[in-house]
Amino acid sequence: MIDWKSLTPSELTEALTALGEPAYRGKQVFTWLHKGVESFEEMGNLPKPLREKLHRAGALSPPEIARKQVSRLDGTVKYLWKLADGSCVESVLMAYRHGNTVCISSQVGCRMGCAFCASTIAGKVRDLTAGEMLDQVLFTWKDSGKTISNIVLMGIGEPMDNLDAVLRFLELVNHPDGINIGMRHISLSTCGVIPGIRRLAELAPQLTLSVSLHAPDSETRGTLMPVNRAYDVEGLFEACHSYFQKTGRRISFEYALIDGVNDYDWQADLIVKRLRGMPGHVNLIPLNDVRESPYKPSRRMAPFQKRLESQGVAATVRRSLGGDIDASCGQLRRRAMEEKGEIPND
Ligand code: SAH
């Protein structure tokens, strides 16, 4: 079966030529696919026998909306999508002043094991295909009727753990015959997989990179994020510095402040020291309470921010959207799993 949605324009043309079709059909089909059609039937300017042939070679399987939550506070919309194999992933649509942004998932579940994160509780089920990532953007757009101008890869999953498909997805959304979203309008967040950071510097230098830091010292970071055992904080900052030298792009560091764990003054000072020589931006996130986790939100948000800023490091407190819905990482999928008895809910 051909996975039409994941094909680049040149691959699509090749596949169509192999089916005995003229090359110009490639662009036609690509454009249709990227409009968010649900079947080949909708491709009105293709002859019916061709539509049937394409369907037989690989039927389209658009995601179904399993749940949808709309925030009454700020209009943030959260989608739980049911994919063709029954797996579920989440996307979130957020309205910012600079345009509508959709946050998408890159895997079903996650195997990174961060101690505070809901997405990783039941491990990783599988990687998403480029087409499944694209569908989250297209069908969020279609359902909401809101033009999407920015994409963030910050939903469920570790993008660097599925980097080939992610790079393919970037090529698709970036293409002028598709939705044509510029690399500068796309952000990718990683828990700190160093080879991935190096690869992105080579292959997608215009992208905005976010690194989930959460602690500037390996001792603390190691207890929060198992990835730190493979790629420790010293190596991570080395990779970040060389990323900046190669791309000239400022990296954003995500930092969820946890009471009595990573909210000490000395840790703010260590962030300042590690960032010396490159412009960084620290995004302080109020920790979302995950029931399974022992961690509590810090009350030191303001002093921590001030300590960074007074030493010349830009730090902002992330505006929290969708506070009245399950709009943070993995929470909606987790709740649905609880209700179906796939994970315990006590
Ligand atoms: N795997 C990628 C992207 C997905 S998570 C990564 O780790 O960056 C998106 C962000 O939400 C990450 O910075 C993650 O560390 C953070 N996050 C996860 N659980 C959280 C929680 N309970 N409270 C606050 N932030 C959380």
Side-chain angles (χ1 to χ4, degrees):
M1 280 298 180
I2 298 178
D3 174 13
W4 296 105
K5 269 302 187 45
S6 295
L7 299 184
T8 63
S10 58
E11 289 168 342
L12 199 52
T13 304
E14 224 170 89
L16 284 162
T17 341
L19 290 173
E21 293 299 321
Y24 69 87
R25 293 279 185 219
K27 182 172 167 165
Q28 255 178 341
V29 173
F30 186 85
T31 307
W32 273 118
L33 289 173
H34 288 242
K35 282 195 171 127
V37 294
E38 290 173 37
S39 73
F40 287 105
E41 258 328 285
E42 291 176 50
M43 302 188 177
N45 59 351
L46 302 188
K48 193 161 175 60
L50 173 57
R51 283 182 260 157
E52 286 167 0
K53 183 153 79 172
L54 297 178
H55 177 81
R56 278 194 305 275
L60 301 184
S61 47
E64 283 169 38
I65 298 177
R67 287 187 194 203
K68 176 178 168 184
Q69 296 182 330
V70 182
S71 165
R72 260 170 282 156
L73 302 173
D74 51 43
T76 298
V77 187
K78 179 127 190 180
Y79 293 94
L80 183 71
W81 303 106
K82 189 170 167 201
L83 308 177
D85 68 343
S87 296
C88 287
V89 290
E90 298 170 26
S91 317
V92 186
L93 172 66
M94 295 160 288
Y96 289 112
R97 250 161 301 163
H98 58 268
N100 296 314
T101 299
V102 63
C103 172
I104 64 154
S105 299
S106 56
Q107 297 177 313
V108 181
C110 183
R111 65 189 184 103
M112 294 297 138
C114 298
F116 47 81
C117 182
S119 297
T120 200
I121 288 169
K124 180 182 109 171
V125 177
R126 68 172 174 90
D127 288 328
L128 292 186
T129 64
E132 287 171 325
M133 291 182 240
L134 172 67
D135 275 346
Q136 294 174 60
V137 180
L138 296 177
F139 289 97
T140 296
W141 190 325
K142 204 171 166 186
D143 180 75
S144 66
K146 294 205 168 119
T147 306
I148 285 161
S149 51
N150 300 277
I151 299 174
V152 297
L153 282 143
M154 270 190 202
I156 298 171
E158 169 51 45
M160 301 297 200
D161 191 37
N162 185 19
L163 193 50
D164 288 336
V166 165
L167 288 166
R168 180 175 277 273
F169 163 75
L170 295 176
E171 189 180 338
L172 295 179
V173 292
N174 195 220
H175 200 280
D177 295 337
I179 55 175
N180 199 11
I181 294 186
M183 283 294 179
R184 282 178 178 262
H185 294 270
I186 305 176
S187 303
L188 181 151
S189 178
T190 177
C191 64
V193 180
I194 293 175
I197 295 175
R198 298 202 191 282
R199 233 177 122 197
L200 271 190
E202 296 292 335
L203 299 175
Q206 299 293 314
L207 193 87
T208 301
L209 180 66
S210 292
V211 171
S212 297
L213 181 60
H214 304 309
D217 57 297
S218 267
E219 202 187 325
T220 311
R221 198 166 187 271
T223 62
L224 295 173
M225 306 174 73
V227 69
N228 199 77
R229 285 177 223 143
Y231 305 112
D232 70 9
V233 127
E234 288 74 20
L236 178 59
F237 273 96
E238 225 174 83
C240 289
H241 279 273
S242 77
Y243 180 92
F244 171 69
Q245 272 147 27
K246 270 221 170 73
T247 63
R249 307 272 291 147
R250 182 175 85 159
I251 298 176
S252 189
F253 293 89
E254 290 151 281
Y255 202 98
L257 271 182
I258 308 174
D259 184 43
V261 175
N262 63 1
D263 60 350
Y264 296 102
D265 283 346
W266 66 267
Q267 285 162 319
D269 298 346
L270 187 54
I271 296 176
V272 173
K273 187 173 152 215
R274 297 218 191 268
L275 282 177
R276 214 157 275 155
M278 74 171 184
H281 171 256
V282 180
N283 202 345
L284 297 170
I285 313 172
L287 182 78
N288 285 302
D289 241 332
V290 173
R291 221 184 313 146
E292 286 83 347
S293 113
Y295 300 113
K296 294 288 157 244
S298 167
R299 284 153 295 184
R300 299 200 67 248
M301 212 78 172
F304 200 86
Q305 178 185 19
K306 212 163 149 207
R307 191 144 183 124
L308 290 170
E309 296 227 291
S310 67
Q311 296 179 79
V313 168
T316 46
V317 173
R318 181 181 285 178
R319 192 160 66 98
S320 183
L321 293 176
D324 56 335
I325 58 176
D326 297 306
S328 32
C329 311
Q331 291 189 348
L332 186 57
R333 174 169 175 267
R334 172 178 160 279
R335 172 159 316 184
M337 286 165 81
E338 264 177 18
E339 286 171 11
K340 283 193 283 175
E342 288 169 12
I343 52 174
N345 67 353
D346 51 3

